[in-house]
Amino acid sequence: MDITNATLKGREGHWDIRIDDGVFGAVVPAGQHAAHADDSESFDAAGRLVVPPFVDAHIHLDYAGTEGLTRRNESGTLFEATQIRAEQKERGLITFDQVYDNALAAARLAVSKGTGFIRSQVDTTEDDLTSLKALLQLREDVKDWVQIQVVAFPQNTVLSYPNGRELLEQAVAMGVDAVGGVPHLEATREDGVASLEYIFDLAEKYGVAIDVHCDEIDDKQSGFIEVMAALASQRRLDVSVTASHAVAMAYYAEGYMAKLVPNLLAADIHFAICPTENLHLQGRNMVPAPRGVAPIKRLTEAGLNVAFGQDSIADPFYPVGEGNLLRILEAGLHVGHMLTGQHLDQALDFITTHGARNLGIEDHYGIEEGKPAHCIVLDCTTDQEAVQHQAAVLCSVHHGRTVFTRRPESYETRMDGFASS
Ligand code: FE2
């Protein structure tokens, strides 16, 4: 197939993109190459922006659609959400079919909004690892239209949950892409450190990436991020290391940040930030209410890799997610004080290239000859317009095949004074 008349980031003019056997071929100035003989699959971008598909760097697909399954989260806190999730499990409501069907629906919703790559955390504090089995099956079943990475995530801790260590290793051995943790929820700081050491041990033993829920708490004394940085520097594993959420960083004193940031850079720690989720969950009962989101601008300007994620699609933690990363991006730019020209011009990086780096797929990601042909056509011409207009995704291509097309939004005017001339 071909995509014709595309606007591409960093290039002047319009371009035709050839796709052969699922791989990008030549990218040439518009109109300069011969169309395929059977060119029924050609898509005319008509000058619109074509970018690689969005990357959701952090979501919990296994929780999708469980908001209100037992009861709703009335306090809006992370602690009540965690309690509700535990109740859902105790009442036997979390079954293979329930997780699979809801996660599939969530993946379809996210892909319809332009996502092509998802890193999903999956709870391993289940005695039979039901959710993990469902997500591993789903990862395989949907690979023609979305690439899912699975993170073994011990929601109810590694050390306090019965057999938590064994369950986490069992999960990793089943073929996940990354191992996670929740050090700030362990019983003591010492347990949190021990859990991180264990997570790094598992990553080394099984050769998987690390993606830890780190310091997702309104507590400036929660400093597991420095432990992650120290372990990453000491162990020097050949895997990516990501700190997810990292909201306590919003409360750190400048003196501590001055020490911490160089250590994060030296350790090449990546960040997965969930702006809408943490705006909702953090700062409850605090006056004045803090923003409760990791310092996106500070981290970005220091040269650290920051990607965004949806985190939740209608679950006890956050009731209104729909997998739309442009909404997440808009919220992240607002809470990060980043509606400046410099950041708006590259805004899509937070949900494209930065996410690809977190997932370790950057070598196979991007519109370049020889790379797998994954791309989307946005109904806009710049990053700033994409944010301003929440640009619709008009075409999605995965492995060189069209996943869907969508017509641009239109409406009929009925009043003379309203209609444009
Ligand atoms: Fe999360």
Side-chain angles (χ1 to χ4, degrees):
M1 71 175 292
D2 292 326
I3 295 177
T4 59
N5 301 305
T7 291
L8 296 173
K9 289 185 67 169
R11 300 193 196 207
E12 294 291 322
H14 295 157
W15 300 82
D16 291 346
I17 306 162
R18 183 139 187 174
I19 297 170
D20 287 306
D21 296 327
V23 175
F24 285 123
V27 178
V28 300
Q32 285 195 9
H33 78 210
H36 283 100
D38 58 341
D39 213 2
S40 57
E41 279 268 36
S42 181
F43 186 93
D44 184 0
R48 296 183 178 90
L49 185 63
V50 180
V51 295
F54 299 151
V55 180
D56 193 328
H58 186 110
I59 196 168
H60 298 253
L61 286 179
D62 56 331
Y63 295 177
T66 59
E67 200 260 338
L69 188 62
T70 51
R71 62 187 174 91
R72 297 175 110 171
N73 183 345
E74 298 299 340
S75 71
T77 63
L78 187 144
F79 297 106
E80 183 172 353
T82 305
Q83 180 60 39
I84 291 171
R85 182 65 191 174
E87 291 166 9
Q88 292 175 349
K89 290 192 281 189
E90 286 163 13
R91 289 174 56 177
L93 299 173
I94 306 305
T95 66
F96 183 98
D97 288 348
Q98 176 269 325
V99 172
Y100 185 96
D101 292 348
N102 283 16
L104 174 59
R108 284 184 175 137
L109 188 59
V111 170
S112 78
K113 308 292 182 186
T115 296
F117 302 88
I118 294 172
R119 176 175 274 186
S120 178
Q121 308 276 329
V122 183
D123 187 7
T124 60
T125 46
E126 295 177 352
D127 294 342
D128 50 6
L129 296 173
T130 298
S131 295
L132 185 71
K133 291 171 185 167
L135 261 292
L136 291 175
Q137 182 65 51
L138 183 74
R139 180 180 69 179
E140 177 67 19
D141 293 348
V142 301
K143 64 184 181 186
D144 285 347
W145 49 274
V146 63
Q147 182 180 323
I148 294 176
Q149 289 191 356
V150 172
V151 184
F153 167 59
Q155 172 72 72
N156 299 113
T157 75
V158 179
L159 299 186
S160 300
Y161 190 79
N163 299 319
R165 289 169 62 102
E166 292 75 12
L167 284 166
L168 189 59
E169 176 159 12
Q170 193 181 331
V172 174
M174 286 166 67
V176 302
D177 302 280
V179 56
V182 279
H184 55 284
L185 295 182
E186 300 287 351
T188 65
R189 185 182 182 281
E190 288 71 21
D191 280 359
V193 173
S195 76
L196 284 173
E197 289 171 341
Y198 182 60
I199 288 158
F200 274 73
D201 289 344
L202 289 179
E204 184 168 16
K205 181 175 178 181
Y206 291 91
V208 296
I210 293 167
D211 190 332
V212 170
H213 280 64
C214 190
D215 304 316
E216 190 183 11
I217 189 167
D218 297 305
D219 178 7
K220 65 184 177 188
Q221 297 193 45
S222 187
F224 291 104
I225 187 69
E226 71 175 11
V227 181
M228 283 190 69
L231 286 170
S233 288
Q234 292 159 13
R235 305 281 187 103
R236 287 288 160 203
L237 307 183
D238 190 22
V239 299
S240 68
V241 180
T242 299
S244 282
H245 294 288
V247 303
M249 293 188 82
Y251 304 92
Y252 291 168
E254 179 51 36
Y256 179 58
M257 285 291 280
K259 165 201 163 189
L260 177 62
V261 168
N263 291 347
L264 297 173
L265 283 163
D268 194 22
I269 301 293
H270 297 179
F271 288 86
I273 305 301
C274 305
T276 54
E277 181 102 357
N278 289 122
L279 276 169
H280 167 65
L281 290 172
Q282 308 311 135
R284 296 280 169 165
N285 306 314
M286 297 171 75
V287 180
R291 293 189 173 213
V293 176
I296 301 164
K297 186 166 184 278
R298 175 76 190 273
L299 299 176
T300 299
E301 293 180 349
L304 290 154
N305 191 62
V306 179
F308 288 166
Q310 166 72 76
D311 209 14
S312 291
I313 294 184
D315 68 22
F317 297 81
Y318 184 74
V320 293
E322 63 160 5
N324 184 346
L325 284 171
L326 283 176
R327 278 176 66 187
I328 304 304
L329 176 58
E330 182 181 33
L333 293 173
H334 278 82
V335 75
H337 278 154
M338 297 176 80
L339 294 175
T340 53
Q342 171 199 357
H343 295 299
L344 279 170
D345 287 347
Q346 302 300 328
L348 291 175
D349 290 356
F350 288 105
I351 56 172
T352 56
T353 52
H354 293 186
R357 236 174 266 155
N358 275 25
L359 270 58
I361 58 171
E362 61 268 42
D363 289 346
H364 309 286
Y365 182 86
I367 301 171
E368 293 175 33
E369 188 168 349
K371 289 190 174 182
H374 309 299
C375 63
I376 55 175
V377 180
L378 290 168
D379 192 10
C380 64
T381 61
T382 66
D383 287 33
Q384 182 167 339
E385 285 180 11
V387 176
Q388 180 183 359
H389 301 299
Q390 294 286 290
V393 180
L394 301 185
C395 180
S396 171
V397 174
H398 201 78
H399 281 302
R401 292 165 61 197
T402 305
V403 182
F404 68 85
T405 60
R406 176 185 281 123
R407 292 188 191 89
E409 185 185 27
S410 66
Y411 55 89
E412 289 180 24
T413 55
R414 300 294 183 91
M415 188 179 288
D416 290 343
F418 174 68
S420 60
S421 56

mmCIF file of all heavy atoms in Angstrom, residues 233-268:
data_model
loop_
_atom_site.group_PDB
_atom_site.id
_atom_site.type_symbol
_atom_site.label_atom_id
_atom_site.label_comp_id
_atom_site.label_asym_id
_atom_site.label_seq_id
_atom_site.Cartn_x
_atom_site.Cartn_y
_atom_site.Cartn_z
ATOM 1 N N SER A 233 22.490 1.548 38.525
ATOM 2 C CA SER A 233 23.904 1.880 38.288
ATOM 3 C C SER A 233 24.833 0.759 38.732
ATOM 4 O O SER A 233 25.837 0.470 38.070
ATOM 5 C CB SER A 233 24.269 3.175 39.026
ATOM 6 O OG SER A 233 23.676 4.282 38.390
ATOM 7 N N GLN A 234 24.498 0.138 39.871
ATOM 8 C CA GLN A 234 25.361 -0.940 40.380
ATOM 9 C C GLN A 234 25.268 -2.194 39.523
ATOM 10 O O GLN A 234 26.279 -2.826 39.200
ATOM 11 C CB GLN A 234 24.969 -1.288 41.826
ATOM 12 C CG GLN A 234 25.273 -0.198 42.837
ATOM 13 C CD GLN A 234 24.447 -0.351 44.112
ATOM 14 O OE1 GLN A 234 23.826 -1.381 44.348
ATOM 15 N NE2 GLN A 234 24.452 0.686 44.929
ATOM 16 N N ARG A 235 24.035 -2.571 39.158
ATOM 17 C CA ARG A 235 23.850 -3.849 38.467
ATOM 18 C C ARG A 235 24.205 -3.767 36.981
ATOM 19 O O ARG A 235 24.576 -4.757 36.375
ATOM 20 C CB ARG A 235 22.392 -4.325 38.610
ATOM 21 C CG ARG A 235 21.908 -4.432 40.050
ATOM 22 C CD ARG A 235 22.391 -5.699 40.717
ATOM 23 N NE ARG A 235 21.780 -5.865 42.023
ATOM 24 C CZ ARG A 235 20.786 -6.708 42.283
ATOM 25 N NH1 ARG A 235 20.281 -7.473 41.332
ATOM 26 N NH2 ARG A 235 20.282 -6.805 43.497
ATOM 27 N N ARG A 236 23.961 -2.613 36.375
ATOM 28 C CA ARG A 236 24.244 -2.425 34.951
ATOM 29 C C ARG A 236 23.654 -3.547 34.098
ATOM 30 O O ARG A 236 24.340 -4.137 33.261
ATOM 31 C CB ARG A 236 25.757 -2.324 34.703
ATOM 32 C CG ARG A 236 26.357 -1.007 35.154
ATOM 33 C CD ARG A 236 25.951 0.134 34.250
ATOM 34 N NE ARG A 236 26.120 1.443 34.893
ATOM 35 C CZ ARG A 236 25.467 2.545 34.543
ATOM 36 N NH1 ARG A 236 24.576 2.517 33.579
ATOM 37 N NH2 ARG A 236 25.676 3.690 35.153
ATOM 38 N N LEU A 237 22.395 -3.842 34.331
ATOM 39 C CA LEU A 237 21.719 -4.856 33.523
ATOM 40 C C LEU A 237 21.465 -4.270 32.137
ATOM 41 O O LEU A 237 21.252 -3.074 31.984
ATOM 42 C CB LEU A 237 20.389 -5.250 34.166
ATOM 43 C CG LEU A 237 20.440 -5.690 35.632
ATOM 44 C CD1 LEU A 237 19.049 -6.111 36.101
ATOM 45 C CD2 LEU A 237 21.429 -6.834 35.810
ATOM 46 N N ASP A 238 21.452 -5.115 31.150
ATOM 47 C CA ASP A 238 21.223 -4.640 29.790
ATOM 48 C C ASP A 238 19.723 -4.623 29.478
ATOM 49 O O ASP A 238 19.272 -5.193 28.497
ATOM 50 C CB ASP A 238 21.979 -5.528 28.789
ATOM 51 C CG ASP A 238 21.970 -4.922 27.392
ATOM 52 O OD1 ASP A 238 21.781 -3.696 27.285
ATOM 53 O OD2 ASP A 238 22.130 -5.698 26.424
ATOM 54 N N VAL A 239 18.959 -3.984 30.371
ATOM 55 C CA VAL A 239 17.512 -3.865 30.180
ATOM 56 C C VAL A 239 17.104 -2.444 30.537
ATOM 57 O O VAL A 239 17.800 -1.764 31.304
ATOM 58 C CB VAL A 239 16.727 -4.867 31.066
ATOM 59 C CG1 VAL A 239 17.099 -6.306 30.715
ATOM 60 C CG2 VAL A 239 16.950 -4.596 32.543
ATOM 61 N N SER A 240 15.958 -1.997 30.003
ATOM 62 C CA SER A 240 15.490 -0.657 30.357
ATOM 63 C C SER A 240 14.888 -0.682 31.762
ATOM 64 O O SER A 240 14.280 -1.669 32.180
ATOM 65 C CB SER A 240 14.467 -0.153 29.341
ATOM 66 O OG SER A 240 13.278 -0.904 29.413
ATOM 67 N N VAL A 241 15.086 0.425 32.473
ATOM 68 C CA VAL A 241 14.583 0.543 33.843
ATOM 69 C C VAL A 241 13.666 1.768 33.911
ATOM 70 O O VAL A 241 14.109 2.892 33.660
ATOM 71 C CB VAL A 241 15.737 0.688 34.854
ATOM 72 C CG1 VAL A 241 15.181 0.806 36.279
ATOM 73 C CG2 VAL A 241 16.707 -0.484 34.752
ATOM 74 N N THR A 242 12.414 1.529 34.232
ATOM 75 C CA THR A 242 11.417 2.602 34.236
ATOM 76 C C THR A 242 10.807 2.769 35.620
ATOM 77 O O THR A 242 10.442 1.780 36.267
ATOM 78 C CB THR A 242 10.283 2.285 33.234
ATOM 79 O OG1 THR A 242 10.836 2.188 31.924
ATOM 80 C CG2 THR A 242 9.210 3.365 33.257
ATOM 81 N N ALA A 243 10.696 4.022 36.044
ATOM 82 C CA ALA A 243 9.950 4.365 37.255
ATOM 83 C C ALA A 243 8.593 4.907 36.810
ATOM 84 O O ALA A 243 8.525 5.901 36.095
ATOM 85 C CB ALA A 243 10.702 5.403 38.064
ATOM 86 N N SER A 244 7.538 4.233 37.227
ATOM 87 C CA SER A 244 6.197 4.688 36.859
ATOM 88 C C SER A 244 5.593 5.535 37.989
ATOM 89 O O SER A 244 5.853 5.290 39.168
ATOM 90 C CB SER A 244 5.291 3.484 36.585
ATOM 91 O OG SER A 244 5.537 2.929 35.313
ATOM 92 N N HIS A 245 4.826 6.507 37.596
ATOM 93 C CA HIS A 245 4.102 7.440 38.484
ATOM 94 C C HIS A 245 5.062 8.431 39.160
ATOM 95 O O HIS A 245 5.020 9.613 38.858
ATOM 96 C CB HIS A 245 3.255 6.692 39.518
ATOM 97 C CG HIS A 245 2.129 5.908 38.917
ATOM 98 N ND1 HIS A 245 1.013 6.501 38.388
ATOM 99 C CD2 HIS A 245 1.963 4.568 38.746
ATOM 100 C CE1 HIS A 245 0.192 5.571 37.923
ATOM 101 N NE2 HIS A 245 0.754 4.388 38.120
ATOM 102 N N ALA A 246 5.873 7.950 40.104
ATOM 103 C CA ALA A 246 6.900 8.791 40.753
ATOM 104 C C ALA A 246 6.345 10.114 41.277
ATOM 105 O O ALA A 246 6.997 11.155 41.179
ATOM 106 C CB ALA A 246 8.063 9.041 39.778
ATOM 107 N N VAL A 247 5.159 10.076 41.869
ATOM 108 C CA VAL A 247 4.523 11.345 42.258
ATOM 109 C C VAL A 247 5.199 12.004 43.451
ATOM 110 O O VAL A 247 5.124 13.226 43.618
ATOM 111 C CB VAL A 247 3.012 11.160 42.548
ATOM 112 C CG1 VAL A 247 2.303 10.569 41.354
ATOM 113 C CG2 VAL A 247 2.772 10.322 43.778
ATOM 114 N N ALA A 248 5.862 11.206 44.321
ATOM 115 C CA ALA A 248 6.515 11.829 45.484
ATOM 116 C C ALA A 248 7.555 12.852 45.044
ATOM 117 O O ALA A 248 7.874 13.781 45.801
ATOM 118 C CB ALA A 248 7.158 10.763 46.366
ATOM 119 N N MET A 249 8.068 12.703 43.827
ATOM 120 C CA MET A 249 9.061 13.660 43.332
ATOM 121 C C MET A 249 8.497 15.081 43.292
ATOM 122 O O MET A 249 9.253 16.057 43.326
ATOM 123 C CB MET A 249 9.554 13.271 41.932
ATOM 124 C CG MET A 249 10.354 11.992 41.893
ATOM 125 S SD MET A 249 11.090 11.710 40.274
ATOM 126 C CE MET A 249 12.536 12.752 40.404
ATOM 127 N N ALA A 250 7.165 15.186 43.209
ATOM 128 C CA ALA A 250 6.538 16.512 43.186
ATOM 129 C C ALA A 250 6.748 17.245 44.504
ATOM 130 O O ALA A 250 6.579 18.467 44.574
ATOM 131 C CB ALA A 250 5.043 16.384 42.887
ATOM 132 N N TYR A 251 7.095 16.495 45.545
ATOM 133 C CA TYR A 251 7.210 17.083 46.882
ATOM 134 C C TYR A 251 8.658 17.221 47.349
ATOM 135 O O TYR A 251 8.907 17.724 48.426
ATOM 136 C CB TYR A 251 6.441 16.218 47.902
ATOM 137 C CG TYR A 251 4.987 16.011 47.553
ATOM 138 C CD1 TYR A 251 4.578 14.913 46.801
ATOM 139 C CD2 TYR A 251 4.010 16.910 47.987
ATOM 140 C CE1 TYR A 251 3.239 14.716 46.477
ATOM 141 C CE2 TYR A 251 2.675 16.722 47.665
ATOM 142 C CZ TYR A 251 2.303 15.622 46.909
ATOM 143 O OH TYR A 251 0.978 15.447 46.599
ATOM 144 N N TYR A 252 9.596 16.733 46.558
ATOM 145 C CA TYR A 252 10.993 16.750 47.007
ATOM 146 C C TYR A 252 11.526 18.179 47.055
ATOM 147 O O TYR A 252 11.222 19.018 46.207
ATOM 148 C CB TYR A 252 11.883 15.943 46.045
ATOM 149 C CG TYR A 252 11.650 14.451 46.054
ATOM 150 C CD1 TYR A 252 12.207 13.653 45.058
ATOM 151 C CD2 TYR A 252 10.892 13.824 47.055
ATOM 152 C CE1 TYR A 252 12.008 12.273 45.038
ATOM 153 C CE2 TYR A 252 10.695 12.449 47.041
ATOM 154 C CZ TYR A 252 11.254 11.674 46.040
ATOM 155 O OH TYR A 252 11.053 10.324 46.021
ATOM 156 N N ALA A 253 12.395 18.429 48.048
ATOM 157 C CA ALA A 253 13.061 19.729 48.160
ATOM 158 C C ALA A 253 14.091 19.878 47.047
ATOM 159 O O ALA A 253 14.641 18.887 46.550
ATOM 160 C CB ALA A 253 13.752 19.835 49.525
ATOM 161 N N GLU A 254 14.347 21.119 46.670
ATOM 162 C CA GLU A 254 15.277 21.378 45.567
ATOM 163 C C GLU A 254 16.672 20.823 45.866
ATOM 164 O O GLU A 254 17.351 20.301 44.972
ATOM 165 C CB GLU A 254 15.346 22.882 45.281
ATOM 166 C CG GLU A 254 16.304 23.264 44.180
ATOM 167 C CD GLU A 254 16.091 22.465 42.887
ATOM 168 O OE1 GLU A 254 14.939 22.155 42.544
ATOM 169 O OE2 GLU A 254 17.109 22.130 42.238
ATOM 170 N N GLY A 255 17.085 20.912 47.133
ATOM 171 C CA GLY A 255 18.411 20.401 47.482
ATOM 172 C C GLY A 255 18.537 18.913 47.193
ATOM 173 O O GLY A 255 19.572 18.452 46.673
ATOM 174 N N TYR A 256 17.486 18.173 47.494
ATOM 175 C CA TYR A 256 17.500 16.737 47.242
ATOM 176 C C TYR A 256 17.439 16.449 45.743
ATOM 177 O O TYR A 256 18.140 15.563 45.228
ATOM 178 C CB TYR A 256 16.320 16.083 47.972
ATOM 179 C CG TYR A 256 16.222 14.602 47.749
ATOM 180 C CD1 TYR A 256 17.270 13.755 48.089
ATOM 181 C CD2 TYR A 256 15.076 14.038 47.195
ATOM 182 C CE1 TYR A 256 17.186 12.386 47.889
ATOM 183 C CE2 TYR A 256 14.976 12.672 46.984
ATOM 184 C CZ TYR A 256 16.041 11.854 47.335
ATOM 185 O OH TYR A 256 15.956 10.498 47.118
ATOM 186 N N MET A 257 16.630 17.218 45.022
ATOM 187 C CA MET A 257 16.540 17.029 43.566
ATOM 188 C C MET A 257 17.897 17.282 42.905
ATOM 189 O O MET A 257 18.274 16.603 41.941
ATOM 190 C CB MET A 257 15.490 17.966 42.962
ATOM 191 C CG MET A 257 14.056 17.548 43.216
ATOM 192 S SD MET A 257 13.581 16.048 42.327
ATOM 193 C CE MET A 257 13.259 16.720 40.704
ATOM 194 N N ALA A 258 18.637 18.257 43.442
ATOM 195 C CA ALA A 258 19.954 18.570 42.859
ATOM 196 C C ALA A 258 20.901 17.380 42.978
ATOM 197 O O ALA A 258 21.762 17.171 42.125
ATOM 198 C CB ALA A 258 20.545 19.797 43.550
ATOM 199 N N LYS A 259 20.735 16.609 44.024
ATOM 200 C CA LYS A 259 21.545 15.392 44.174
ATOM 201 C C LYS A 259 20.976 14.254 43.325
ATOM 202 O O LYS A 259 21.726 13.491 42.693
ATOM 203 C CB LYS A 259 21.563 14.970 45.650
ATOM 204 C CG LYS A 259 22.065 13.554 45.884
ATOM 205 C CD LYS A 259 21.584 13.003 47.236
ATOM 206 C CE LYS A 259 21.716 11.487 47.279
ATOM 207 N NZ LYS A 259 21.071 10.888 48.452
ATOM 208 N N LEU A 260 19.650 14.153 43.304
ATOM 209 C CA LEU A 260 18.994 12.991 42.702
ATOM 210 C C LEU A 260 19.081 12.972 41.173
ATOM 211 O O LEU A 260 19.358 11.925 40.568
ATOM 212 C CB LEU A 260 17.521 12.973 43.134
ATOM 213 C CG LEU A 260 16.632 11.871 42.561
ATOM 214 C CD1 LEU A 260 17.132 10.500 43.002
ATOM 215 C CD2 LEU A 260 15.181 12.085 43.002
ATOM 216 N N VAL A 261 18.809 14.108 40.529
ATOM 217 C CA VAL A 261 18.678 14.122 39.071
ATOM 218 C C VAL A 261 19.936 13.596 38.355
ATOM 219 O O VAL A 261 19.829 12.785 37.432
ATOM 220 C CB VAL A 261 18.270 15.530 38.572
ATOM 221 C CG1 VAL A 261 18.421 15.639 37.060
ATOM 222 C CG2 VAL A 261 16.822 15.818 38.972
ATOM 223 N N PRO A 262 21.147 14.027 38.772
ATOM 224 C CA PRO A 262 22.327 13.447 38.101
ATOM 225 C C PRO A 262 22.423 11.935 38.263
ATOM 226 O O PRO A 262 22.888 11.237 37.354
ATOM 227 C CB PRO A 262 23.498 14.165 38.798
ATOM 228 C CG PRO A 262 22.918 15.433 39.319
ATOM 229 C CD PRO A 262 21.518 15.100 39.710
ATOM 230 N N ASN A 263 21.983 11.432 39.419
ATOM 231 C CA ASN A 263 22.003 9.976 39.617
ATOM 232 C C ASN A 263 21.020 9.276 38.693
ATOM 233 O O ASN A 263 21.279 8.177 38.193
ATOM 234 C CB ASN A 263 21.686 9.639 41.081
ATOM 235 C CG ASN A 263 22.805 10.069 42.012
ATOM 236 O OD1 ASN A 263 23.911 10.396 41.566
ATOM 237 N ND2 ASN A 263 22.523 10.092 43.306
ATOM 238 N N LEU A 264 19.862 9.913 38.460
ATOM 239 C CA LEU A 264 18.870 9.340 37.540
ATOM 240 C C LEU A 264 19.418 9.306 36.121
ATOM 241 O O LEU A 264 19.213 8.338 35.378
ATOM 242 C CB LEU A 264 17.577 10.159 37.588
ATOM 243 C CG LEU A 264 16.840 10.196 38.931
ATOM 244 C CD1 LEU A 264 15.683 11.177 38.865
ATOM 245 C CD2 LEU A 264 16.339 8.806 39.302
ATOM 246 N N LEU A 265 20.103 10.384 35.753
ATOM 247 C CA LEU A 265 20.699 10.439 34.415
ATOM 248 C C LEU A 265 21.783 9.371 34.258
ATOM 249 O O LEU A 265 21.836 8.665 33.246
ATOM 250 C CB LEU A 265 21.288 11.823 34.161
ATOM 251 C CG LEU A 265 20.284 12.928 33.819
ATOM 252 C CD1 LEU A 265 20.916 14.297 33.994
ATOM 253 C CD2 LEU A 265 19.746 12.750 32.401
ATOM 254 N N ALA A 266 22.627 9.247 35.263
ATOM 255 C CA ALA A 266 23.717 8.272 35.188
ATOM 256 C C ALA A 266 23.173 6.852 35.089
ATOM 257 O O ALA A 266 23.766 5.987 34.433
ATOM 258 C CB ALA A 266 24.621 8.420 36.410
ATOM 259 N N ALA A 267 22.034 6.625 35.755
ATOM 260 C CA ALA A 267 21.437 5.281 35.756
ATOM 261 C C ALA A 267 20.515 5.058 34.565
ATOM 262 O O ALA A 267 20.010 3.949 34.382
ATOM 263 C CB ALA A 267 20.656 5.070 37.052
ATOM 264 N N ASP A 268 20.272 6.095 33.760
ATOM 265 C CA ASP A 268 19.378 6.033 32.600
ATOM 266 C C ASP A 268 17.984 5.529 32.997
ATOM 267 O O ASP A 268 17.420 4.638 32.364
ATOM 268 C CB ASP A 268 19.975 5.134 31.505
ATOM 269 C CG ASP A 268 19.261 5.320 30.164
ATOM 270 O OD1 ASP A 268 18.640 6.386 29.978
ATOM 271 O OD2 ASP A 268 19.312 4.399 29.317
#
